[in-house]
């Protein structure tokens, strides 16, 4: 692996319930940068993030992180490798039986031998970084979606990781929370000299902070490059996704036989009649 | 046609066997590790949730079941002039059969379903995945304390069931229907053997506790993490646990009291 690449995925194949999600995928993610993995829903973005986190095993191929092939690591080695990674799950994944302070303190209590005073200072500093020091006594159920994600971010950076994986950080957020998260992701990456990988389908938000974009589709890499390059790409599929066109290279319709043929066959008629489609077509 | 049927049957049996194996592996992996420094604290928390919070339903049910036994026993025995034996009937029915079985069924409905739903929701909200990413094995942290708490709680709940049930029978038979109090307690003392009756009842409780808690945790841990998946897993916990309790009760009764 080259010195500049922190993650390398080689000839990765992965299937879920007989559906092939990746077919010989090759990508590399560079150290110290914010890389956005984008693609339509269901193209395997979150699956790729889980493969990078070692939570899923590839059917074929390799996922190398920090120069180590994850599928060859023992459980202990994987655990120690994971302590160099932080993950921000889509739902925040805060522990619902612990308050905000204890959630952020969790990885420190597990993996460090800090005294109670040092631990308190450390947690307060992390919460300050995400602007939620005042919310440390709240329970996860009392937080808004945006706040939950910020607490989860504070927890993810508590151990000073070298790599942070963000799973759909902007999904379902209001514009203010989105802007806050964007600012935090970029600022943390630059100040802590991290490598950030974010999975998203919010093109504008992800492009605004990403140094590099990886576009996935149809089980493989569609394009990789700087956000501007992809936004100006002439490839029809890349253009459709980056500019959000409803129809194009990626069709609007799920594959199906011709509508009129289907409506005129007996079984098709029966099915369609119950929904009133045939009458509507015949009237026209 | 016949082959298709056989093939389907075979694949179902294989599926059941492989999930039984997976459940066994899950249990062993979660238990074959020494508890961490905060293990006791987590166990105490779970004892409260699984055991103490099931107390009310056990207490109330035991009271009513004891009262019904007292009433039924009295009306049956009074025709033969042997209503004094009602104490022994109530106690033997409770300690040998009703207390372990009914308490375990209630425990499956109250604590088992809650455990499955809790684990399923933890899976759906990625809390289990997040534990893994922090290098903490969810089997040790989440599954083990809940399993041990179930194992400790149900036998204690069965002891409580026995005591409350016997007093429920006393309330109806002695206080309301006029059976002599000395006969109620005396016959009971003469008829109930500690090791044959009480201990066998408690062994049943321990077996049922293992079955219910194990089923509940396995169903929660392996459920499909959607609202429908969690609801199906919770239903499966209650149905499978109840059937296993009744099936194993017959086997245990046959072994303990049936002279097999």
């Amino acid at each position: 692996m080259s010195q500049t690449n922190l993650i390398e995925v080689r000839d990765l194949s992965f299937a879920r319930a007989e559906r092939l999600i990746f077919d010989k995928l090759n990508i590399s993610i560079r150290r110290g940068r914010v890389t956005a993995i984008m693609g339509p829903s269901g193209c395997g973005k979150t699956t790729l993030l889980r493969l990078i986190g070692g939570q899923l095993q590839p059917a074929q191929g390799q996922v190398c992180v920090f120069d180590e092939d994850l599928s060859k690591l023992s459980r202990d080695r994987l655990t120690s490798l994971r302590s160099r990674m932080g993950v921000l799950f889509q739902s925040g994944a805060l522990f619902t039986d612990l308050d905000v302070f204890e959630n952020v303190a969790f990885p420190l209590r597990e993996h460090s031998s800090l005294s109670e005073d040092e631990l308190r200072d450390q947690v307060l500093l992390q919460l300050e970084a995400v602007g939620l020091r005042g919310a440390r006594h709240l329970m996860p159920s009392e937080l808004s979606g945006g706040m939950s994600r910020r607490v989860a971010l504070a927890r993810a950076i508590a151990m000073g990781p070298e790599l942070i994986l963000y799973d759909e950080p902007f999904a379902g957020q209001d514009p203010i929370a989105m802007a806050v998260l964007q600012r935090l992701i970029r600022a943390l990456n630059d100040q802590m000299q991290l490598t950030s990988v974010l999975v998203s389908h919010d093109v504008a938000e992800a492009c605004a902070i990403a140094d590099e974009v990886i576009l996935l589709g149809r089980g493989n890499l569609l394009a990789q490059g700087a956000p501007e390059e992809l936004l100006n790409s002439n490839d029809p599929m890349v253009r459709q996704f980056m500019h959000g066109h409803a129809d194009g290279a990626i069709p609007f319709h799920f594959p199906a036989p011709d509508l009129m043929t289907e409506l005129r066959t007996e079984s098709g008629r029966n099915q369609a009649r119950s929904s009133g489609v045939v009458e509507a077509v015949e009237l026209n | 046609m016949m082959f298709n049927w056989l093939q389907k049957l075979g694949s179902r049996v294989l599926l059941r066997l492989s999930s039984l194996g997976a459940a066994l592996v899950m249990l062993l992996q979660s238990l074959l590790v020494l508890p961490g420094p905060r293990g006791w604290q987590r166990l105490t928390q779970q004892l409260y949730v699984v055991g103490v919070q099931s107390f009310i339903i056990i207490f109330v049910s035991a009271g009513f079941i004891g009262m019904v036994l007292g009433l039924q026993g009295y009306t049956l025995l009074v025709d033969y002039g042997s209503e004094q034996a009602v104490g022994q009937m109530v106690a033997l029915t409770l300690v040998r059969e009703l207390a372990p079985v009914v308490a375990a069924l209630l425990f499956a409905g109250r604590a088992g379903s809650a455990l499955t739903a809790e684990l399923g929701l933890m899976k759906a909200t990625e809390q289990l995945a997040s534990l893994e990413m922090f290098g903490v094995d969810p089997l040790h942290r989440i599954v083990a304390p809940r399993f041990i708490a179930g194992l400790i709680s149900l036998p204690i709940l069965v002891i409580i069931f026995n005591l409350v049930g016997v007093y429920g029978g006393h309330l109806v038979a002695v206080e309301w229907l006029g059976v002599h109090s000395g006969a109620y307690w005396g016959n009971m003392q003469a008829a109930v053997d500690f090791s044959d009756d009480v201990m066998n009842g408690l062994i049943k409780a321990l077996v049922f506790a293992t079955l219910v808690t194990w089923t509940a945790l396995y169903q929660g841990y392996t459920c499909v993490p959607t609202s429908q998946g969690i609801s199906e897993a919770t239903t499966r916990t209650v149905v499978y646990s109840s059937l296993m309790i009744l099936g194993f009760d017959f086997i245990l009764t046959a072994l303990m009291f049936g002279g097999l």
Side-chain angles (χ1 to χ4, degrees):
Chain A
M1 186 184 289
S2 76
Q3 280 300 304
T4 52
N5 289 342
L6 189 76
I7 300 171
E8 273 196 19
V9 175
R10 295 190 205 114
D11 294 328
L12 170 76
S13 296
F14 186 82
R16 225 186 251 273
E18 295 180 14
R19 192 170 80 91
L20 195 62
I21 296 180
F22 297 122
D23 186 15
K24 296 203 184 313
L25 176 71
N26 282 291
I27 55 172
S28 47
I29 291 173
R30 289 169 56 189
R31 222 175 266 272
R33 313 187 88 189
V34 178
T35 305
I37 299 176
M38 296 205 271
S41 296
C43 74
K45 302 185 294 289
T46 300
T47 307
L48 181 60
L49 213 60
R50 298 219 157 173
L51 284 157
I52 294 172
Q55 290 184 292
L56 295 173
Q57 291 292 330
Q60 274 180 348
Q62 289 178 319
V63 179
C64 298
V65 184
F66 301 118
D67 292 323
E68 305 246 31
D69 181 354
L70 294 187
S71 60
K72 292 203 175 108
L73 291 182
S74 67
R75 209 177 159 84
D76 286 347
R77 284 286 303 141
L78 188 62
T79 302
S80 74
L81 198 79
R82 277 173 178 165
S83 65
R84 296 164 71 188
M85 296 183 199
V87 183
L88 184 75
F89 287 94
Q90 191 170 356
S91 59
L94 295 179
F95 302 124
T96 40
D97 54 340
L98 303 177
D99 65 10
V100 166
F101 182 93
E102 284 302 325
N103 260 290
V104 179
F106 183 86
L108 296 168
R109 286 197 197 283
E110 289 299 325
H111 296 297
S112 70
S113 48
L114 296 177
S115 71
E116 203 56 32
D117 284 344
E118 289 168 329
L119 186 129
R120 183 174 176 279
D121 293 350
Q122 187 71 21
V123 171
L124 291 183
L125 280 174
Q126 306 300 351
L127 282 171
E128 178 70 15
V130 296
L132 288 175
R133 190 165 43 88
R136 64 181 178 276
H137 299 304
L138 297 180
M139 293 303 283
S141 56
E142 296 171 288
L143 303 175
S144 70
M147 285 162 85
S148 293
R149 262 176 233 191
R150 281 152 70 190
V151 175
L153 186 52
R155 187 177 65 173
I157 57 170
M159 291 295 289
E162 295 162 54
L163 165 69
I164 300 203
L165 309 170
Y166 299 91
D167 188 6
E168 299 280 7
F170 310 121
Q173 298 294 314
D174 66 63
I176 300 171
M178 218 175 295
V180 169
L181 281 165
Q182 271 181 304
R183 197 178 82 176
L184 278 173
I185 293 172
R186 187 72 243 184
L188 285 173
N189 190 79
D190 298 345
Q191 287 162 13
M192 296 174 71
Q193 291 166 342
L194 302 170
T195 303
S196 309
V197 178
L198 64 104
V199 150
S200 178
H201 47 221
D202 296 293
V203 176
E205 287 73 21
C207 284
I209 54 166
D211 299 311
E212 187 150 32
V213 175
I214 289 174
L215 190 57
L216 298 178
R218 297 186 173 167
N220 224 313
L221 178 70
L222 287 182
Q224 178 164 7
E228 306 78 46
E229 279 174 43
L230 266 68
L231 285 166
N232 299 326
S233 166
N234 287 326
D235 184 291
M237 218 182 270
V238 176
R239 275 190 77 78
Q240 187 193 354
F241 182 81
M242 297 302 282
H243 297 282
H245 298 146
D247 209 350
I250 299 167
F252 165 71
H253 286 285
F254 194 82
D258 178 59
L259 176 67
M260 291 313 286
T261 323
E262 192 160 17
L263 291 181
R264 288 199 173 114
T265 60
E266 199 52 40
S267 60
R269 282 183 91 82
N270 290 341
Q271 257 179 11
R273 184 153 280 136
S274 61
S275 59
V277 177
V278 173
E279 283 80 356
V281 171
E282 280 168 356
L283 276 174
N284 288 334
Chain B
M1 185 69 188
M2 184 69 184
F3 277 116
N4 269 347
W5 185 81
L6 274 177
Q7 196 180 19
K8 268 187 193 162
L9 183 75
S11 86
R12 284 200 165 194
V13 170
L14 281 180
L15 197 71
R16 287 290 139 104
L17 283 178
S18 71
S19 58
L20 190 67
L24 193 64
V25 169
M26 180 196 87
L27 192 66
L28 292 178
Q29 277 186 343
S30 61
L31 294 179
L32 291 180
V33 165
L34 289 173
R38 304 179 88 203
W40 282 112
Q41 194 189 338
R42 278 189 283 274
L43 179 62
T44 324
Q45 267 174 2
Q46 289 311 314
L47 279 172
Y48 177 76
V49 175
V50 174
V52 177
Q53 291 191 342
S54 306
F55 173 75
I56 294 292
I57 188 172
I58 294 289
F59 186 88
V60 173
S61 315
F64 281 123
I65 285 180
M67 286 162 76
V68 168
L69 284 175
L71 192 58
Q72 289 281 14
Y74 181 83
T75 51
L76 202 73
L77 294 168
V78 78
D79 291 345
Y80 306 97
S82 14
E83 68 271 19
Q84 282 83 2
V86 72
Q88 120 188 29
M89 198 208 92
V90 168
L92 284 180
T93 318
L94 278 171
V95 295
R96 285 184 175 187
E97 290 296 333
L98 281 185
V101 171
V102 176
L105 289 173
L106 293 170
F107 186 74
R110 163 68 186 75
S113 59
L115 284 177
T116 305
E118 187 191 16
L119 251 74
L121 211 61
M122 281 180 142
K123 195 174 179 187
T125 53
E126 299 172 308
Q127 291 182 53
L128 297 182
S130 145
L131 274 177
E132 242 174 45
M133 287 307 295
F134 286 124
V136 175
D137 190 341
L139 287 175
H140 303 158
R141 184 59 52 91
I142 304 293
V143 174
R146 282 164 178 75
F147 182 74
I148 297 168
L151 235 54
I152 297 174
S153 300
L154 186 55
I156 296 176
L157 289 170
V158 168
I159 294 174
I160 295 170
F161 198 107
N162 282 328
L163 292 174
V164 177
V166 165
Y167 275 100
H170 183 268
L171 179 73
V172 171
V174 177
E175 307 286 335
W176 297 352
L177 299 171
V179 174
H180 189 267
S181 177
Y184 185 87
W185 294 117
N187 275 330
M188 191 186 297
Q189 195 187 7
V192 178
D193 185 85
F194 183 76
S195 64
D196 280 354
D197 300 318
V198 179
M199 284 317 286
N200 274 342
L202 290 181
I203 291 171
K204 279 187 178 182
L206 201 63
V207 173
F208 299 158
T210 311
L211 292 173
V212 173
T213 324
W214 184 17
T215 310
L217 292 171
Y218 177 70
Q219 291 295 340
Y221 195 72
T222 55
C223 77
V224 181
T226 58
S227 45
Q228 195 190 351
I230 297 172
S231 121
E232 282 172 3
T234 312
T235 309
R236 272 200 300 272
T237 292
V238 177
V239 173
Y240 291 175
S241 304
S242 306
L243 291 177
M244 280 197 287
I245 290 165
L246 297 170
F248 271 80
D249 182 50
F250 175 73
I251 297 171
L252 290 172
T253 304
L255 289 173
M256 292 167 173
F257 307 105
L260 289 180

